[in-house]
Amino acid sequence: MLNKLKPTIGIIDSGIGGISVLNQLISRFNAGNYIYFADNLNMPYGNMTKIQLKERLLEIIEVLKNHEVDIIIVACNTASSVLDDMNIPNVYLMKFNKEQTYLATALTKKTLHDCNVIADYSLAKHIEESIFDNKKLNKLVR
């Protein structure tokens, strides 16, 4: 049962990588109820077209709004990059800094024209499979 005295925060990611965002929200703010939407069926998002992904994300946002979330956080670089041109009330996206380099999906590279993005077609899938194996994950990123 949700505590309606606290806000309900929805978090969207293509898999479980966004759990790190959820952990930070809980440890820093412990401000509300959380609903985590892991869209594993469509993971990795980088293999979809921008139009397909935008349609999918709008569906997920609608589902979360139907569950009375107050705030939605998109905890996925690829998803944030395709929604970046939209201003959806109470939906917060990952922000991109032009001074940094991002290791991301090919779709993120196509979408973020002003940022330095190193694209990899299989990285998201391998990260999902290795998320709890730090040695394997470090080797993969290196």
Side-chain angles (χ1 to χ4, degrees), residues 10-21 35-48 52-54 56-57 60 64 72-83 94 103-105 107-108 120-129 131:
I11 300 164
I12 300 171
D13 196 2
S14 62
I16 60 173
I19 288 178
S20 61
V21 174
I35 298 175
Y36 190 89
F37 194 109
D39 191 17
N40 290 53
L41 181 64
N42 293 293
M43 192 279 270
Y45 279 168
N47 293 343
M48 301 171 81
Q52 289 171 323
L53 182 53
K54 192 176 279 192
R56 178 63 182 152
L57 292 166
I60 294 169
L64 290 173
I72 297 172
I73 297 172
V74 179
C76 172
N77 286 341
T78 304
S80 291
S81 72
V82 300
L83 292 176
M94 304 296 278
L103 186 58
T105 66
L107 181 56
T108 304
D120 183 283
Y121 289 93
S122 62
L123 183 64
K125 182 175 186 278
H126 291 300
I127 288 173
E128 289 290 316
E129 293 170 355
I131 195 96

Side-chain angles (χ1 to χ4, degrees), residues 53-65:
L53 182 53
K54 192 176 279 192
E55 288 173 357
R56 178 63 182 152
L57 292 166
L58 293 174
E59 289 173 5
I60 294 169
I61 289 168
E62 193 61 34
V63 166
L64 290 173
K65 286 183 176 182

